[in-house]
Amino acid sequence: MSDPLMATYRRLPVTFTHGEGAWLWDQTGKRYLDALSGIAVCGLGHAHPAVREALCDQAGTLVHTSNLYQIAAQTELGARLTALAGMDRVFFGNSGAEANEAAIKLARLYGHHRGVEKPAILVMENSFHGRTLATLTATGNRKVQAGFEPLVQGFVRVPYDDLAAVETAGAYRHDLVAILVEPLQGEGGIRVPATTYLPRLREICDRHGWLLMLDEIQTGMGRTGKLFAHQHGGILPDVMTLAKGLANGVPIGACLARGAAAEVLGPGTHGSTFGGNPLACRAASAVLAVIEAEGLVARAAERGAQLLAGFRQALAQQPGVRDVRGLGLMIGIELDRPCADLVGRALAAGLLINVTADSVIRLLPPLILEPAQAELLVSELTRLIADFLSTTPPPAHGS
Ligand SMILES: *Cc1c(COP(=O)(O)O)cnc(C)c1O
């Protein structure tokens, strides 16, 4: 039988049937510790009763009506989310890329309102913002763009965590109207910028009248040990996008804005058929309630610190390990050689991990991870890394 699915993913040979908390089970009954959470999506773990209840209740009453009408669940979620984020308004879509599309459109309209004829957005090398044409253009990775030219105009790129490059761009490019940046880079290899980076970007944006637009699609919803990663820097963005962890697996994306930026998108300028429908919004509201009730932000910070310290200690004497870094439950272990093979080895051992940027093991476990599960993750993965390094040739000299 030919594969009915387009070959956009090289899928691992496993099918999961059910989950509970940080555990997943496959068709053979084998159990896996999930240290990836469906790529930072299922922060509450699998089959959380509060999410199930919200979904079942809403599915039994009303799933969708369209944005032609008032949607109480959307207004309620919007009020909760904007209050938590210190933002004024929100637009709901169905994915991260859509949330960023809304931000990009908002920035362009903001520029045109200020008389900038061809507004441009400053973006970063090594970034990831999605797979639609505008967001893949914003993405700083040629692999994501190759073959899809012509790309979208209106983006200027500088290195990440490089304030001098931003200042230089500001001095020469009078068409810039916004910066779109991840508070820490996820796909790019769990890169944590200097603590001064976001506060300084905030200053630069204020000086130029640019919008500071933070892509918190991966870093948001408690993942880094704050509800939003920019709270580590003590600043507020003008625009923030969310998606992954927002509804624990039900598709949703959000573009939040503050001040003048919140008033830019008016009737007819943007829209979405599904965006913010009652089902997705009820799920997201349930997620917010659980994050608060179970103290998941603090737990993510604690568990993240435990994992980081655990891996640093366990891997301190391990040749081939270049760096162990992260913030909260976004953890990267960089090896001195490509390590995509580790994903399959871990799967066989009952552990779900990810490798990004060729040689960075990326861990995004659920916020509900228990201390004993974190301990198990450290010991199992340490063993797998040692085994991998001893059976895989080191990189050629000089690379
Ligand atoms: C995953 C991700 C996106 C894209 O989200 P989709 O829901 O896959 O469209 C955008 N930005 C960042 C930082 C992400 O991690």
Side-chain angles (χ1 to χ4, degrees), residues 271-290:
S272 167
T273 299
F274 293 127
N277 83 17
L279 192 74
C281 289
R282 280 291 303 277
S285 285
V287 166
L288 284 174
V290 171

Side-chain angles (χ1 to χ4, degrees), residues 4 33 55 70 73 83 95 103 132 140 146 176 184 199 222 266 283 297 362 372 376 381:
L33 182 63
L55 284 174
Q70 310 283 326
S95 67
T132 61
L176 288 170
L184 77 142
V297 176
R362 176 171 55 159
L376 180 67
L381 189 54

